[in-house]
Amino acid sequence: MKFIDLFCGIGSFHQALDGHECVMACDIDPMCRETYKVNYNMTDDNVLSDITDIKTFPKADIVCAGFPCETYSIIGKKQGLSVKKGQLIYDVFRAISQSKPNYVFMENVRNILKHQNILDLIHQEMTYMGYSVKVHLLNCKNHGIPQSRQRVFFICCKEKPFLGKIPECITPTLSHYLNQDLIRDFSYTIRAKGGRYDKIDSRHNWTYYRKKDNTIYQLTFDDVVKLQGFTSNFFFCGSTTSQYQMLGNSIPTCLTKAVISATLMD
């Protein structure tokens, strides 16, 4: 099938759709675009920048959109649809209306569930365009990766509604996953900004973990890559800071893979 990857980041949805054809991707972050092109063998012609500048979207079977979460996030200003970033959801609707896919997958942070106006808007617009809408709140630690990270997925289907469940699986402990003797069973949520150098007892910390011998272990970059579900041979462009930001902004691949496989096999 052909798919469009909006707000693509480093391609978590692309990882889940391995074997299918990406006909267009877009992201406003230049390092994300360069990383995406390198890893998925794509070019400037089909990895574009600002979604608001795109006039025509190609036909596709699937549209994916991890649309910006800052205006809905618990650590953001919670401005929702009142600011420009929040209004980018209208460009997602515009892409869907042009590409006419059979499936649409949208993703955002857990706190979006507290913004009733955006939930109502998504249901209203997608229903108007002929889609059923199912909302699922998933946590990485229930889907194979020991990271406590919750994300909301909107599964929209045109031909028949998705009636199934997203299967959970046994997840290894953080110690087993990283081969370290750690006290915690799951890592904290990996962030794009803040927390990387905070002390172990800080509420923002996500990189320092106490071991059973009472020493401290700091996550390596490879650990973070693994905790977001990417492989060790995945190539990152840009500075170390931008690489951590790209990882922190990414959707863990265990979640996109669970959602995609459950829906397409339903």
Side-chain angles (χ1 to χ4, degrees), residues 130-183:
Y131 295 87
S132 61
V133 181
K134 298 294 181 182
V135 182
H136 289 263
L137 175 64
L138 306 180
N139 194 322
C140 275
K141 66 182 184 180
N142 299 324
H143 296 277
I145 291 180
Q147 179 189 169
S148 183
R149 186 188 188 101
Q150 294 180 301
R151 287 297 181 267
V152 172
F153 287 84
F154 300 87
I155 302 175
C156 310
C157 303
K158 195 149 200 173
E159 294 181 352
K160 63 174 184 175
F162 173 66
L163 300 176
K165 295 182 178 180
I166 310 298
E168 296 184 354
C169 64
I170 297 174
T171 300
T173 64
L174 187 61
S175 290
H176 185 267
Y177 198 68
L178 299 181
N179 195 28
Q180 297 291 332
D181 196 19
L182 305 173
I183 292 176

Side-chain angles (χ1 to χ4, degrees), residues 29-232:
D29 186 325
M31 285 301 101
C32 283
R33 294 197 301 275
E34 291 306 310
T35 300
Y36 198 97
K37 287 186 289 186
V38 168
N39 286 280
Y40 306 118
N41 194 29
M42 296 182 69
T43 68
D44 291 338
D45 292 335
N46 47 24
V47 182
L48 308 179
S49 181
D50 191 339
I51 190 173
T52 62
D53 292 333
I54 301 173
K55 305 304 179 187
T56 304
F57 295 87
K59 301 294 183 185
D61 303 290
I62 299 169
V63 168
C64 305
F67 59 102
C69 65
E70 292 93 328
T71 63
Y72 308 110
S73 173
I74 196 169
I75 61 173
K77 295 183 179 180
K78 307 177 186 69
Q79 295 167 304
L81 289 166
S82 66
V83 295
K84 185 176 180 180
K85 274 196 173 181
Q87 294 163 9
L88 290 172
I89 186 66
Y90 291 103
D91 290 285
V92 177
F93 298 147
R94 182 168 59 89
I96 294 166
S97 68
Q98 291 185 21
S99 63
K100 303 185 186 307
N102 291 322
Y103 302 96
V104 176
F105 301 99
M106 292 182 276
E107 176 272 348
N108 213 277
V109 293
R110 175 187 178 182
N111 206 59
I112 198 173
L113 296 176
K114 295 184 178 180
H115 291 257
Q116 193 60 47
N117 59 345
I118 183 65
L119 300 179
D120 290 343
L121 178 66
I122 290 173
H123 279 274
Q124 174 185 315
E125 292 295 324
M126 295 307 296
T127 300
Y128 177 78
M129 288 190 282
Y131 295 87
S132 61
V133 181
K134 298 294 181 182
V135 182
H136 289 263
L137 175 64
L138 306 180
N139 194 322
C140 275
K141 66 182 184 180
N142 299 324
H143 296 277
I145 291 180
Q147 179 189 169
S148 183
R149 186 188 188 101
Q150 294 180 301
R151 287 297 181 267
V152 172
F153 287 84
F154 300 87
I155 302 175
C156 310
C157 303
K158 195 149 200 173
E159 294 181 352
K160 63 174 184 175
F162 173 66
L163 300 176
K165 295 182 178 180
I166 310 298
E168 296 184 354
C169 64
I170 297 174
T171 300
T173 64
L174 187 61
S175 290
H176 185 267
Y177 198 68
L178 299 181
N179 195 28
Q180 297 291 332
D181 196 19
L182 305 173
I183 292 176
R184 283 186 62 86
D185 286 338
F186 308 105
S187 77
Y188 300 108
T189 297
I190 294 167
R191 300 183 180 190
K193 295 180 181 179
R196 188 154 68 95
Y197 295 114
D198 284 14
K199 294 181 180 179
I200 192 169
D201 54 353
S202 167
R203 67 187 182 90
H204 297 295
N205 165 62
W206 54 264
T207 54
Y208 292 103
Y209 297 86
R210 201 175 301 280
K211 300 180 73 170
K212 292 180 180 177
D213 63 4
N214 210 35
T215 58
I216 304 300
Y217 179 75
Q218 181 181 7
L219 295 185
T220 66
F221 182 77
D222 288 343
D223 289 339
V224 180
V225 171
K226 190 173 183 179
L227 283 166
Q228 288 291 66
F230 291 85
T231 59
S232 58

